[in-house]
Amino acid sequence: MTKYVKQTRILVAVDCIIFGFDGYNLKLLLIKRGFEPEKDKWSLMGGFVQSDEKPEEAASRVLKQLTGLKDVYMEQLLVFGEPNRDPIERTISITYFALVDIKKYEKQLSDDYRAEWFPLNRVPKLIFDHDRMVQNAKRKLRYKAALHPILFELLPEKFTIPQILTLYEQVYDVQLDKRNFTRKLRSTGLLIKQMDKDKENSKKGAFYYKLDKATYKEKFTKFLNFVSNPEY
Amino acid sequence: MTKYVKQTRILVAVDCIIFGFDGYNLKLLLIKRGFEPEKDKWSLMGGFVQSDEKPEEAASRVLKQLTGLKDVYMEQLLVFGEPNRDPIERTISITYFALVDIKKYEKQLSDDYRAEWFPLNRVPKLIFDHDRMVQNAKRKLRYKAALHPILFELLPEKFTIPQILTLYEQVYDVQLDKRNFTRKLRSTGLLIKQMDKDKENSKKGAFYYKLDKATYKEKFTKFLNFVSNPEY
DNA sequence: CCAAAAGTGTTGAACATACACCCATGG
DNA sequence: CCATGGGTGTATGTTCAACACTTTTGG
């Protein structure tokens, strides 16, 4: 059968907004662009969708290239498609956000792409419309995390309650009451208490917890309420 | 400057999942496809993104072509991009949902495209992956409408509380308590009571309301709670 | 006058918030 | 022994869900 005639074919790219949490700050992984235009400027990690590839496969591939990680939590966000967003040639970009455990990220790989983690409030100016992409992703992260337990994806396998608290405070830029927060968290049934403690951050030490994977999956679509009236 | 070499250019389309409400049932607007492949099969309304056009402009254009309506509530949903989803040539489709006041839709225009409204539970088999697109849009509609007052976009300028109740019941396929629902609705401050009544559906007659546009805009991003623990 | 739909009122339970205190321990 | 951060407990107000009754009017 014949092709669709007289229609414009367009370059399709993916761009990844990669969030990480180091225990203190929420961070964004950026790279220095290796080719023209805008060579050596800060940019999101991205790549073109190949001819035999689904967009989500392209996003996973790109993420793996940069971080060495697979099976990472990713979610499709907005498409950015203004005709002139890329000065070289029209390119439509599908954005994804990725939530990674920053400690699993292998430092040496970053050097290939000259990657760097930036605290969210110190992100440099980015190329093209990548600033808007980041804004949108931050907004979406807040929105989603207010209702679903996705922030656990940012934590290592073993984590403490004070760590989660800090994470939520970082994401929403608010102070939370640790007592009420702890109660809510425990009541979800998502946590399994471990026997050992993290003694790095305090003298008393804080118990480690693991995520109850079964409950996590089951309750993922249920609406939670860790943050009341979040701004997003 | 040179173009990006050796990359695949791909057809980019938009497909619109158009919801309407006739006072009794939630409906979907479909067309009979006018060209091969899959000519004369039921399909979503769609079109290719033109070379000078943003994707959202393409979606608005396509919607206007079919319904004659502009300034319609639209929202970008998922991108469907499997390499073989269109058998003729690879096409990536960006989906949008549109919420229209069914009464503003002019019947005669539909004939050009052989369009028809289908109650959501009687939607025929659609071409390609359009079934999945509809499923996704239904899910997203439920999700969004549980938290934000978007369903007002489906109602005419003047509407009654029993009408909104029916609408929510249709969307979530549940029975709601009219007393609790009415109280929640009134407490939002979104409604302005009119002096006249709709006498079509009951002997007593139900007061008309209008949407308070200012409050609507202001409260749009606030989380509401018309439906508790919605399935989505 | 009565059926059918609109509209108002009450109450107990669940949940959220605000706030105060004890615990463990490294230095 | 004390400063520091971890952890538990309680009282109060708000919100939600369950439920019963009155109002209006066309036929």
Side-chain angles (χ1 to χ4, degrees):
Chain A
M1 224 180 274
T2 54
K3 302 234 167 183
Y4 298 110
V5 291
K6 290 199 204 164
Q7 297 296 341
T8 318
R9 279 106 188 132
I10 304 174
L11 281 170
V12 179
V14 295
D15 281 304
C16 297
I17 297 95
I18 306 169
F19 292 104
F21 178 64
D22 63 4
Y24 307 96
N25 288 291
L26 189 63
K27 291 183 166 176
L28 198 62
L29 187 59
L30 299 172
I31 63 168
K32 267 206 170 152
R33 199 172 212 242
F35 52 94
E36 295 293 349
E38 303 280 357
K39 190 165 181 295
D40 293 332
K41 300 273 179 64
W42 290 107
S43 155
L44 294 170
M45 180 72 182
F48 292 108
V49 175
Q50 303 299 303
S51 62
D52 57 348
E53 199 179 42
K54 298 186 217 180
E56 49 271 40
E57 286 167 353
S60 299
R61 172 176 55 77
V62 155
L63 188 79
K64 178 132 192 300
Q65 268 172 42
L66 181 63
T67 65
L69 301 175
K70 52 182 186 175
D71 298 323
V72 165
Y73 182 86
M74 297 191 81
E75 193 171 329
Q76 196 189 104
L77 303 179
L78 285 184
V79 173
F80 287 74
E82 297 201 11
N84 299 312
R85 53 176 294 281
D86 186 320
I88 297 294
E89 178 179 348
R90 181 164 194 192
T91 306
I92 276 182
S93 174
I94 309 170
T95 57
Y96 287 83
F97 76 52
L99 304 181
V100 311
D101 171 1
I102 209 165
K103 298 204 180 102
K104 283 197 192 153
Y105 169 74
E106 295 151 64
K107 190 71 181 176
Q108 71 276 14
L109 282 168
S110 76
D111 296 340
D112 302 352
Y113 290 95
R114 294 182 294 165
E116 210 169 294
W117 287 103
F118 287 86
L120 258 191
N121 44 18
R122 288 200 190 74
V123 171
K125 171 90 181 63
L126 304 178
I127 64 164
F128 304 163
D129 47 7
H130 287 199
D131 293 313
R132 280 174 52 221
M133 291 177 176
V134 171
Q135 275 307 116
N136 176 257
K138 267 172 72 173
R139 195 180 144 94
K140 183 70 187 245
L141 180 67
R142 286 186 169 192
Y143 188 91
K144 189 92 191 220
L147 302 164
H148 309 284
I150 56 171
L151 294 185
F152 290 99
E153 304 285 347
L154 290 164
L155 294 168
E157 202 186 347
K158 277 165 53 175
F159 48 82
T160 67
I161 290 184
Q163 266 173 39
I164 314 177
L165 179 67
T166 309
L167 176 51
Y168 273 86
E169 290 182 334
Q170 283 288 313
V171 171
Y172 293 98
D173 204 14
V174 290
Q175 284 278 103
L176 297 173
D177 185 298
K178 67 169 173 172
R179 298 162 289 193
N180 294 333
F181 184 82
T182 309
R183 183 161 351 118
K184 276 186 196 175
L185 206 52
R186 273 187 293 144
S187 76
T188 61
L190 289 170
L191 301 186
I192 303 171
K193 194 173 190 172
Q194 305 304 113
M195 297 314 293
D196 50 338
K197 283 183 165 187
D198 162 41
K199 307 274 281 183
E200 304 234 324
N201 296 292
S202 75
K203 296 165 183 174
K204 182 174 177 181
F207 278 107
Y208 281 117
Y209 287 82
K210 283 187 179 174
L211 192 60
D212 182 336
K213 295 272 166 57
T215 314
Y216 178 67
K217 276 188 186 165
E218 184 194 317
K219 295 210 174 163
F220 191 82
T221 59
K222 294 271 173 273
F223 292 90
L224 303 175
N225 185 23
F226 288 135
V227 186
S228 42
N229 302 315
E231 292 285 327
Y232 77 96
Chain B
M1 223 180 273
T2 53
K3 302 232 168 185
Y4 297 110
V5 290
K6 290 200 204 161
Q7 296 297 343
T8 319
R9 279 99 187 140
I10 304 174
L11 282 170
V12 179
V14 294
D15 281 303
C16 297
I17 297 96
I18 306 167
F19 291 105
F21 179 64
D22 62 4
Y24 306 97
N25 289 291
L26 189 63
K27 291 183 168 177
L28 198 62
L29 187 58
L30 299 172
I31 62 166
K32 268 206 170 152
R33 197 172 213 241
F35 54 93
E36 294 294 346
E38 303 280 356
K39 189 166 183 291
D40 292 332
K41 300 272 178 66
W42 290 106
S43 156
L44 294 169
M45 180 73 181
F48 292 108
V49 174
Q50 303 299 304
S51 63
D52 57 348
E53 198 179 44
K54 297 187 216 179
E56 49 271 39
E57 286 167 351
S60 299
R61 171 176 55 78
V62 156
L63 189 79
K64 176 131 194 298
Q65 267 172 41
L66 181 64
T67 64
L69 301 174
K70 51 182 186 175
D71 298 323
V72 165
Y73 181 86
M74 296 191 82
E75 193 171 329
Q76 196 190 103
L77 305 180
L78 286 184
V79 173
F80 286 74
E82 296 202 12
N84 300 311
R85 53 176 295 281
D86 186 319
I88 296 295
E89 179 179 348
R90 181 164 194 192
T91 306
I92 276 181
S93 174
I94 309 170
T95 56
Y96 288 84
F97 76 51
L99 304 181
V100 311
D101 172 1
I102 209 164
K103 299 209 179 96
K104 282 197 192 151
Y105 169 73
E106 294 150 64
K107 190 71 181 176
Q108 71 277 11
L109 282 168
S110 76
D111 296 340
D112 302 352
Y113 290 94
R114 293 181 296 165
E116 210 169 294
W117 287 103
F118 287 86
L120 257 192
N121 44 16
R122 289 201 189 72
V123 171
K125 170 90 182 63
L126 305 178
I127 65 163
F128 303 164
D129 48 5
H130 287 199
D131 293 312
R132 281 174 52 221
M133 292 177 175
V134 170
Q135 274 308 114
N136 177 257
K138 267 173 72 173
R139 195 180 144 94
K140 183 69 186 246
L141 179 67
R142 285 185 170 192
Y143 188 92
K144 189 92 191 221
L147 301 164
H148 308 285
I150 56 171
L151 295 185
F152 290 100
E153 304 285 346
L154 290 164
L155 294 168
E157 204 186 348
K158 278 165 52 175
F159 49 82
T160 67
I161 290 185
Q163 265 173 40
I164 314 177
L165 179 67
T166 308
L167 176 51
Y168 273 86
E169 289 182 333
Q170 283 289 314
V171 170
Y172 293 98
D173 203 14
V174 290
Q175 284 278 102
L176 297 173
D177 185 297
K178 67 170 174 172
R179 297 160 289 191
N180 293 334
F181 184 83
T182 308
R183 178 156 0 97
K184 276 186 195 173
L185 206 53
R186 273 187 293 146
S187 77
T188 60
L190 289 171
L191 301 187
I192 303 170
K193 193 172 189 171
Q194 304 303 112
M195 299 312 294
D196 50 338
K197 282 183 164 186
D198 162 41
K199 308 275 279 184
E200 302 234 326
N201 295 292
S202 75
K203 294 165 181 172
K204 185 174 177 183
F207 278 107
Y208 280 117
Y209 287 82
K210 283 187 182 177
L211 193 60
D212 182 335
K213 294 272 165 60
T215 314
Y216 179 66
K217 275 189 187 166
E218 183 194 319
K219 294 211 175 165
F220 191 82
T221 59
K222 294 269 175 273
F223 292 89
L224 303 175
N225 184 23
F226 288 136
V227 185
S228 44
N229 301 315
E231 292 285 328
Y232 76 96

